[in-house]
Amino acid sequence: MFKYLRFVSAEKLNQLWCEMSSAAKHHLIQQTTAQPHKKIKKSNTDTRVVTELNPLLFSEDFKTAIKTAFQRKLELIYEGFLSLSENGETVLADPFRCCVLPNFIKDDSETFLEALKNELLELKFIEKNNDLYKFHQSGDLKEIEMPCITVLKKLLSENILEWMKEVTDIPLNNLVNMFCSKYQYTDVLLCHDDELEERRIAYILYLVPPWTKSDGGTLDLFNSDSNGQPCKIVKSLLPAWNKFVFFEVTHQSFHQVAEILSEDKTRLSVSGWFHGPPIARPTPVVESLRELSRPGFVDEKEFRAWINPTYLEEETQMQIQKTFQISSEIELQGFLQEDKYKLVAQALRDSSLKWNQKGPANKRNYEDVNILSLPSVVQQCLKIFQSEAMFLTLANMTGLTLHELLVKRDSDTESTDGNIKAFGDVEEKEVSYTLGATSEVIDTKVKHDSSPGQGSHGLSERTCDPKCQMHVRQWKHGSYALAYDDDKEMAECGLDATLFLNCNEWKSEYGGFISYIAKGEDEELLTVYPQSNSVALVYRDNETLRFVKHINHRVSQRPSSQQSFNDIFCVYCE
């Protein structure tokens, strides 16, 4: 039978395929997939698996209906096409043009699709894991010449490509990307728009087991606000076997693959893009920066009541500075006095606190709080972190010019023995403290040649005017902060100081850790894991980006009261 099939016509071959028993089909497919990773040489006598797309796609009535709806941006529910989207639509106009085609491939016995799925699962997958996503992906399928994959490539790059040109009226060239994605428990692809390298239409063919909303993994579509930023999810498309989804790629085609919540199901799909001439992209919205504050005043007694006395000792600060100037980072455990830490941590668990969702989703998703609405003990803690005493302490620990006394020491105008200036030597200034208030500007000229871990700031003579900004944040399941090139806060060098709270026994597998990467690189330079009452100090330059890893469903293994944590995040600038 196998040899005979080589010489019959395609029409006869298709007829014979339909008449074969399931066992015979299975045997034939096994024969043609015995060596899945070897390229099959093209030959006129090669056996080809025969299948076809749903004939309804090419009926004039359907093409006219979908063409009209897609090009005029209208909703379409095509009664002759059983749609499996949430609201029954075949064409979605809101939030952007998207089409849902169930029963995409005609495969009544599901033999072809099962064989295709098996071929895909035999491929080598590479883990993709960074700030935006976590899943496994194959290489470009154009390099794979397994029977069913080859048929699918032809269907997409020939039949569907011409069909797309006709019904969408989007100018397309002949470039069609294809790869296979495998999402399993806690895998996710966060909010993005797909616009890159002349991509014009994105598509997905699902090969999944029976799927429900509780399994996660939906294709979520975001609407956009007046600034063209993603606002909220307005459509969620459920994966289904043999469902094909495609949408127009624009600067507002914001979407995500929701986290997989099922521990035993795999979301397998073939996806990619149809390419064409690039479209003009509007100037990106520049976010306004939070205002920086100058140091305020607290007296020595109050400051010492908050800070672990070990970190105020001259010898300790000198040792910290030596370590910091080698690596540009250090973690200071048990930073606050234990009684003060417990009060602040408990106050941030107060159910009456009103946390605000912080977006947009293509950049971040966590909660923060209006500082002025915080309990008094938290405001007192912030007062300590914004105090002149803290600026001097951090200057002594890092060697950064965050206080005039360090500047004078470096200039040999205040100290000739090279010792670090202790807090008790600070001259008290009569400056009242309120959040956001500033003290008098210190007009000391500074020349600083040493840089933590890098040898030189490369700074010329300038005014010493250190400042800081502070955020109080809450992180829980679904929270994240992405790295992005136009982050204005990261455009300048700075000292990040993060105090972690309420994260006892937090595991790295939950996410929520802070990663630092170099621009244009995926490899992490540094990872900071949450530890209660620990302050992480990280000095970064303007070629460094920072992100907080998505907190995944594994955190639900913890008691409900421990499924989130807080941090007080400060940035100090020289």
Side-chain angles (χ1 to χ4, degrees), residues 356-568:
N356 306 307
Q357 202 70 29
K358 189 74 173 176
N362 63 329
K363 295 180 179 177
R364 62 188 72 86
N365 179 37
Y366 59 82
E367 295 176 326
D368 69 359
V369 66
N370 185 327
I371 289 178
L372 295 177
S373 69
L374 286 167
S376 60
V377 67
V378 183
Q379 294 206 37
Q380 290 170 17
C381 183
L382 296 179
K383 174 181 175 181
I384 293 297
F385 273 86
Q386 192 186 322
S387 69
E388 184 179 3
M390 181 62 78
F391 275 74
L392 178 58
T393 299
L394 294 175
N396 285 335
M397 289 179 171
T398 65
L400 295 169
T401 54
L402 295 174
H403 196 280
E404 63 175 333
L405 289 181
L406 187 71
V407 174
K408 291 179 180 179
R409 189 192 73 227
D410 289 346
S411 303
D412 293 324
T413 59
E414 181 72 14
S415 174
T416 58
D417 57 7
N419 291 333
I420 293 176
K421 204 71 176 176
F423 169 74
D425 296 320
V426 179
E427 178 185 355
E428 296 184 358
K429 291 182 172 61
E430 296 299 327
V431 181
S432 61
Y433 179 88
T434 57
L435 289 170
T438 60
S439 66
E440 60 189 71
V441 177
I442 303 169
D443 192 22
T444 303
K445 296 294 182 179
V446 52
K447 210 172 184 180
H448 187 68
D449 295 325
S450 63
S451 171
Q454 298 188 19
S456 175
H457 280 295
L459 298 178
S460 58
E461 196 171 273
R462 62 175 174 79
T463 301
C464 179
D465 186 18
K467 299 177 184 177
C468 74
Q469 60 170 289
M470 295 182 292
H471 310 257
V472 180
R473 308 181 295 191
Q474 181 162 268
W475 303 88
K476 60 183 183 181
H477 181 212
S479 297
Y480 59 85
L482 302 181
Y484 52 98
D485 289 336
D486 60 346
D487 187 348
K488 297 303 180 184
E489 181 183 301
M490 304 294 287
E492 300 294 335
C493 302
L495 176 68
D496 293 348
T498 309
L499 170 66
F500 295 101
L501 306 101
N502 297 314
C503 50
N504 293 337
E505 298 181 4
W506 189 270
K507 296 180 180 179
S508 60
E509 65 187 38
Y510 305 147
F513 50 82
I514 305 174
S515 289
Y516 290 83
I517 58 175
K519 284 185 178 180
E521 303 289 339
D522 284 335
E523 185 177 352
E524 295 179 11
L525 303 173
L526 172 68
T527 303
V528 178
Y529 297 99
Q531 295 185 64
S532 288
N533 198 16
S534 173
V535 168
L537 299 180
V538 179
Y539 178 78
R540 52 173 175 74
D541 60 21
N542 55 9
E543 292 299 316
T544 304
L545 297 175
R546 175 187 63 233
F547 69 86
V548 178
K549 186 64 175 177
H550 172 263
I551 297 179
N552 62 61
H553 189 256
R554 285 191 175 90
V555 76
S556 63
Q557 299 167 2
R558 291 165 64 89
S560 57
S561 61
Q562 299 177 24
Q563 293 180 13
S564 64
F565 70 88
N566 304 99
D567 66 19
I568 295 176

Side-chain angles (χ1 to χ4, degrees), residues 85-135:
S85 65
E86 182 180 1
N87 298 311
E89 300 98 336
T90 302
V91 176
L92 304 147
D94 181 45
F96 46 84
R97 296 193 291 181
C98 178
C99 188
V100 181
L101 304 175
N103 306 316
F104 180 64
I105 291 176
K106 184 181 179 182
D107 187 38
D108 297 334
S109 64
E110 296 188 355
T111 307
F112 171 76
L113 290 173
E114 282 291 345
L116 173 63
K117 175 183 140 183
N118 290 335
E119 285 184 3
L120 293 170
L121 289 174
E122 290 176 9
L123 298 176
K124 180 180 179 180
F125 286 84
I126 299 171
E127 183 180 19
K128 310 282 284 184
N129 194 349
N130 63 13
D131 60 322
L132 184 64
Y133 48 67
K134 183 175 80 73
F135 64 100

Side-chain angles (χ1 to χ4, degrees), residues 185-245:
Y185 182 53
T186 72
D187 286 350
V188 69
L189 173 58
L190 301 173
C191 180
H192 62 292
D193 63 15
D194 258 13
E195 191 179 11
L196 182 70
E197 298 174 352
E198 302 183 348
R199 298 171 181 173
R200 297 302 303 272
I201 295 175
Y203 70 86
I204 313 100
L205 172 63
Y206 296 106
L207 296 169
V208 297
W211 206 271
T212 65
K213 287 184 178 180
S214 63
D215 296 322
T218 53
L219 177 62
D220 297 333
L221 311 183
F222 291 77
N223 63 3
S224 301
D225 60 22
S226 58
N227 292 319
Q229 297 294 293
C231 190
K232 61 181 180 179
I233 297 169
V234 295
K235 297 282 185 181
S236 291
L237 306 180
L238 199 66
W241 180 262
N242 199 15
K243 177 192 280 188
F244 186 82
V245 176

